[in-house]
């Protein structure tokens, strides 16, 4: 199942990179709202982040699908570092922000908060596990060469894990206009 972990992390990166590349100024604007980085660094760093997400997403997906094991280990380690840096950044940004500031994550947009940090930390852990298993285990790696029934399970697991992890902060954010209905009526 560890190729599914690597594929899930890669899919999250590809979705984020795609969203950022569709609206390239949004990430730098989000960084400005966070108030953590100096103005001159934001735009170049935003482009570096977008490019890194896209490259690591493609490399991670290729490594998850066909290997080789060393590439999967390298991709998992690199993704773990990137997600770890993201977790640290959004944690600091949340601590410094006053009020609801958007995370500018590209996917699963939500205000900065503990759930955004948890998502990045969780993805760092998943990538580290996938990379570590790839580096220190023997046998077949990746989706390639597996029976169809295993491929379906691996693909479903990767997509489900990617979507549920990516949307975690949004799922944990209560809309301001939400009305709860109890058995006795509206409260």
């Amino acid at each position: 199942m560890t190729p599914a972990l690597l594929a899930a992390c890669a899919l999250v990166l590809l979705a984020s990179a795609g969203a950022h590349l569709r609206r390239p100024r949004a990430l730098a604007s989000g960084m400005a709202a966070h108030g953590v980085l100096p103005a001159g660094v934001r735009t170049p760093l935003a482009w570096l982040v977008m490019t890194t997400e896209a490259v690591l997403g493609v490399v991670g997906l290729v490594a998850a699908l066909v290997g080789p094991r060393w590439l999967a280990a390298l991709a998992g380690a690199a993704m773990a570092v990137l997600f770890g840096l993201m977790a640290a950044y959004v944690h600091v940004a949340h601590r410094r922000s006053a009020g609801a500031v958007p995370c500018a994550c590209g996917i699963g947009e939500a205000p900065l908060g503990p759930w955004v940090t948890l998502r990045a930390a969780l993805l760092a852990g998943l990538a580290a596990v996938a990379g570590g298993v790839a580096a220190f285990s023997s046998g077949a790696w990746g989706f390639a060469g597996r029976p169809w029934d295993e491929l379906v399970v691996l693909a479903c697991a990767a997509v489900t894990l990617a979507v549920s992890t990516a949307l975690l902060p949004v799922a944990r954010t209560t809309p301001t206009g939400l009305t709860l209905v109890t058995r006795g009526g509206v409260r």
Side-chain angles (χ1 to χ4, degrees):
M1 282 301 269
T2 48
L5 295 180
L6 190 65
C9 293
L11 289 171
V12 170
L13 285 176
L14 288 172
S16 180
H20 284 142
L21 291 169
R22 275 194 315 273
R23 296 178 41 226
R25 292 189 183 113
L27 182 56
S29 297
M31 288 179 182
H34 298 159
V36 174
L37 300 169
V41 173
R42 293 177 195 138
T43 299
L45 183 60
W47 281 103
L48 177 64
V49 167
M50 289 184 262
T51 305
T52 303
E53 286 174 337
V55 169
L56 281 181
V58 169
V59 169
L61 196 56
V62 167
L65 294 177
V66 295
R69 185 177 298 284
W70 65 267
L71 184 61
L74 184 64
M79 282 191 245
V81 169
L82 179 63
F83 285 127
L85 290 171
M86 287 179 181
Y89 173 81
V90 295
H91 177 73
V92 169
H94 171 61
R95 292 279 189 200
R96 290 187 179 182
S97 67
V101 177
C103 71
C105 300
I107 54 167
E109 290 298 330
L112 284 176
W115 293 106
V116 176
T117 303
L118 179 64
R119 172 180 56 192
L122 179 63
L123 287 164
L126 294 176
V129 167
V133 168
F136 296 110
S137 66
S138 59
W141 174 261
F143 286 45
R146 295 185 187 259
W148 279 103
D149 57 343
E150 283 185 36
L151 286 176
V152 170
V153 170
L154 285 172
C156 289
V159 170
T160 301
L161 187 58
V163 169
S164 61
T165 306
L167 297 179
L168 175 67
V170 172
R172 299 301 306 163
T173 303
T174 305
T176 55
L178 181 67
T179 303
L180 299 176
V181 177
T182 62
R183 289 183 195 174
V186 178
R187 33 172 227 183

